[in-house]
Amino acid sequence: MNKWYLAILLLSLACVTQAQHVIKGRITDATTGDPIPFAAVGLKGGSAGGNTDFDGNYSFAARQLSDSIFVSYIGYQRATKAVQPGLAEQTIDFQLMAGSSQLREVRVYAKGENPAFRIIRNAVAAKSTHDWRNLKAYEYESYVKNEFDVNKISDQFRKGPIGKKITGPLEKLQKIAGDDGKPIIPIFLSESFSDYYHRRNPELTKERINKTKITGVGITDGSTFSQFIGSAFQQYNFYENWLPILRKEFISPIADGWRGSYDYFLGDTIQIDNAPCYEIEVTPRRAQDLAFVGKIWIDTADYALRQVDLRISGDANINYVESIAIQQQLTVVEDSTTKQRAWLPKQTRVLIDVKEFTKNSVGFLAKFFVSNRNFKINQPREATFYNPAVELADHYREQKDNYWQQIRPDSLTAEERTAYSLIDSVKNIPIVRSYTQILSIIANGYQRIYNGIELGPFLSTGAFNTIEGLRLRAGFRTNAEFSKVWVLSGYLAYGFKDNVMKYGADAKYIISRKPWAEIGASTSYDLEQIGLTTEAVGNNSLFATYSRFGRYRRGYYQREYMSYIRAELIKGLTPMIGIRRRSFEPLYNFAYVNNGDPSGQSGTYQNTELITELRIAKNELFIYNDNDRVSLGTAQSPIYTLRYSLGLQNTLGGDFNYHRFTLTMADNFRVGILGRSFYTLSAGYTPSTLPYPLLFPHLGNQSLFYVGNAFNMMNYFEFLSDRYASLKYEHNFEGLLFNRLPAIKRLKWRTLLNVNVLYGGARQANRDIIPDYDLQGNPIPGFGSLNPSTPYVEVGYGIDNIFKFFRIEAIHRLTYLNQPTTIDGVKINRFAVKASAYFTL
């Protein structure tokens, strides 16, 4: 018996020893250094192997070793390395190079249908059950890490005068991404820890950023960046039909219209957290479409999405971006009371690889990692709790390493630890500081000159027109370094032909930031032009600058005083009340009938008005930039602006009593695969009898450039109304047409269509107030107005994204074609081709 026991024991020890060959390692991208999750790893010619986890790590045991180990994953070149024989444990790391992203060539369909279709069909049908947006509420803690790097540094750039000054001091500290030794130089690294909250009805979100750690080239005050680095800007939900990324929208592999956008291949069934899941490879039906290629994993029991590893290739109709990769793991959370379950994102990793702008420049990498924990669902908080949507906690800056060691889900890699010291080295290089300052001036238009005081904007420094001749302007503004509550600005301008000094001054005091409330006052004296006032042009600074050039028709000097108070009473509801006094001093022959007596004419006037405004913007997201807040728009909700002005006669010298109403509604919406539409509806009405400069002059555009907020085939001051309604509509088909044309699809052109319609008119009383002649017998020009029964209509169509920068549009004027010139003798054009240039992805 002892002999048998000994034999069995020896046999067992032999089996155990045979099974103790453990191979482990990490799989990373050779270009970016980022981990590659869910890759297949195995021994060549054997059955032992496994898959990498979310951080690219793998480990498996084998009873018998072969001579090599391989790694395979869609979108990368297959890689093989030798295995050392006889070792009980060994570590083998791989750096994979990007390769083909095509589906497998061999496809076997059961009963004539792709077997993956049934799974996708069931997953789409179950979306409403698993989509976390359908919960009453959810919240979690979130750790976010962001990194921006410079990569693809060409030898020519490194050897150039700029490259030497940048890369020379970093030779000893370069961060190496892979076996090929390509350097990656980090320029920004941040970490944040926050609490994220969402409520469905009403739909509200909030992120409270508790702690941040930021270092980067050109970063002076981290308060603005601290609001961008949290999880609020890293929300990726593949249960939605369209995912917004970089202000573009990509169709989900489980969107309602999945079959027309993707091809699918059913792979293996693998275990994820001890649950069997279908592995499905997806690829766009057209490479230029804004769609994903990669893998998704769907639970075999309830068809919930468990994991995604998707990327966007460089063939997609998007500029400057070589690839975008998104990996996400989801975890199930259950409501203990209702037993409702939902799958929420546990970990998300995003990588954006930006191309070199020129052959001899550099590329950029943007990396985002989000880890969520401590989920709670169906416990909504009071609606007031969610305001503001992004909030910085007191003492939010945290640099102590021991705090972050406790918060991080995993410790920093050696490369990330090196990144912190690299960034400090880069930003202290003199030429980097100089270029950072130049880029800041280009972006902001201002240059810091002394403790919180900035000079600019430089775009408005000079102009030339028929009234002023050469116009020079110098201005300034203050920033948060000057004061946290006071914001001051001003300018001086001088025309060398009219020899008149112009000026402007503005002061704002921030009463409260939570909720936002401010009070302000301003004064100015400057040259204006009928139909091209600052109020009409709006915030289009380039068009405003252009309008200062050339011939001034019906120019006038205006002196203005204004004071106001604005406050957000509740989230999305911001009223304003102010009082304004303006003078009108025309530089052309102008008069109006005073008090209905033709013998009593006036050539100038003053008006005082009480202004009330209500802005309604549901779910609008703001970030706070020093002493200002910047709107990032609303989530699928229109923005309404209602304004009422009351003219006050005999108050502060006002000459008129009047009422004036305006209403604006602006929004955009997705039209499925057809693209996105943008529209603005506006209306105005004044029942009072007033000189025409106080009515509604419609903004025309006589330039060669397309202007979005103007009627582009209408001349300056061609039409004026005392009541009107207008629609400005533009639809961008994106790559819908050109993506399907083999000869030109690589140009990434995009088609667009727009329609502008204006109804309006002026009552006879407002015509009669302008006499034909003044008291000396000189003719007085009137104004043109629309026929209330005939709208002004123009339509345009064109091509966007030419050379990734230009837009060319052909515009037809369809109505009011009978008169060859306007009332001022300016020729009317029926057709024009206009261009514009802007940065777009």
Side-chain angles (χ1 to χ4, degrees), residues 551-564:
R551 182 179 176 184
Y552 261 52
R553 294 182 176 88
R554 305 200 187 193
Y556 64 95
Y557 293 119
Q558 176 177 275
R559 194 180 305 275
E560 179 180 80
Y561 304 92
M562 182 174 179
S563 61
Y564 71 92

Side-chain angles (χ1 to χ4, degrees), residues 330-606:
L330 297 99
T331 186
V332 65
V333 183
E334 183 174 291
D335 183 346
S336 59
T337 303
T338 64
K339 303 304 179 181
Q340 182 182 6
R341 304 170 78 217
W343 294 84
L344 283 92
K346 180 182 178 181
Q347 293 186 105
T348 305
R349 182 181 288 110
V350 181
L351 185 142
I352 301 172
D353 192 352
V354 181
K355 296 178 180 179
E356 309 96 314
F357 287 91
T358 63
K359 183 182 295 186
N360 297 320
S361 63
V362 297
F364 295 91
L365 286 174
K367 306 177 185 180
F368 311 97
F369 172 75
V370 183
S371 179
N372 303 322
R373 65 192 186 193
N374 295 335
F375 296 91
K376 296 179 182 179
I377 64 173
N378 290 339
Q379 299 178 32
R381 298 173 182 259
E382 294 296 327
T384 54
F385 170 82
Y386 298 87
N387 187 26
V390 178
E391 179 182 32
L392 292 176
D394 295 334
H395 312 295
Y396 62 90
R397 297 181 185 177
E398 180 60 70
Q399 298 294 326
K400 296 179 181 178
D401 289 337
N402 57 356
Y403 173 84
W404 293 106
Q405 289 171 3
Q406 297 173 5
I407 293 299
R408 295 180 186 120
D410 294 300
S411 59
L412 292 180
T413 64
E415 291 86 355
E416 288 167 339
R417 290 193 298 270
T418 304
Y420 275 113
S421 59
L422 272 171
I423 291 171
D424 290 335
S425 300
V426 171
K427 67 184 181 182
N428 289 321
I429 297 174
I431 194 169
V432 173
R433 291 201 303 266
S434 299
Y435 274 85
T436 300
Q437 189 175 35
I438 292 171
L439 290 174
S440 177
I441 293 173
I442 294 173
N444 300 321
Y446 285 84
Q447 166 63 38
R448 182 182 180 275
I449 56 174
Y450 180 75
N451 293 344
I453 299 177
E454 301 174 352
L455 188 66
F458 296 107
L459 190 63
S460 303
T461 300
F464 191 90
N465 57 69
T466 54
I467 295 178
E468 295 177 293
L470 176 63
R471 171 189 170 100
L472 297 180
R473 183 186 186 276
F476 80 96
R477 71 179 184 185
T478 63
N479 58 35
E481 185 181 351
F482 177 85
S483 172
K484 294 291 186 181
V485 293
W486 284 102
V487 182
L488 308 177
S489 63
Y491 71 89
L492 290 174
Y494 185 78
F496 287 85
K497 183 177 180 180
D498 64 353
N499 296 317
V500 175
M501 180 69 73
K502 294 90 176 176
Y503 61 86
D506 185 278
K508 179 175 73 175
Y509 179 78
I510 301 173
I511 303 171
S512 169
R513 282 179 163 81
K514 302 175 185 178
W516 185 268
E518 66 183 40
I519 187 171
S522 63
T523 181
S524 65
Y525 180 71
D526 211 334
L527 178 68
E528 298 285 355
Q529 183 177 184
I530 298 291
L532 284 172
T533 62
T534 303
E535 188 174 5
V537 172
N539 60 359
N540 191 328
S541 57
L542 187 62
F543 187 51
T545 300
Y546 175 85
S547 66
R548 287 285 178 186
F549 287 81
R551 182 179 176 184
Y552 261 52
R553 294 182 176 88
R554 305 200 187 193
Y556 64 95
Y557 293 119
Q558 176 177 275
R559 194 180 305 275
E560 179 180 80
Y561 304 92
M562 182 174 179
S563 61
Y564 71 92
I565 182 170
R566 178 185 288 111
E568 187 177 40
L569 294 184
I570 60 175
K571 183 174 175 59
L573 190 66
T574 306
M576 183 274 288
I577 185 169
I579 188 167
R580 178 169 65 182
R581 177 181 178 271
R582 292 183 295 180
S583 66
F584 181 79
E585 305 169 16
L587 298 175
Y588 63 98
N589 198 27
F590 169 83
Y592 68 95
V593 176
N594 194 356
N595 297 325
D597 181 4
S599 64
Q601 295 182 4
S602 296
T604 63
Y605 64 78
Q606 297 183 120

Side-chain angles (χ1 to χ4, degrees), residues 816-838:
Y816 294 93
L817 306 176
N818 294 332
Q819 295 181 342
T821 63
T822 67
I823 197 170
D824 282 339
V826 182
K827 182 182 177 181
I828 293 175
N829 293 318
R830 299 188 178 193
F831 173 79
V833 176
K834 300 201 174 193
S836 58
Y838 56 95

Side-chain angles (χ1 to χ4, degrees), residues 3 11 31 135 253 301 320 325 332 413 415 447 462 468 489 530 555 577-578 622 702 709 736 744 752 768 833-834:
K3 292 180 180 179
L11 180 62
T31 302
L135 295 168
Y320 312 114
V332 65
T413 64
E415 291 86 355
Q447 166 63 38
E468 295 177 293
S489 63
I530 298 291
I577 185 169
F622 288 96
Q702 294 174 214
N709 61 330
L736 181 67
I744 60 175
L752 56 92
D768 292 342
V833 176
K834 300 201 174 193

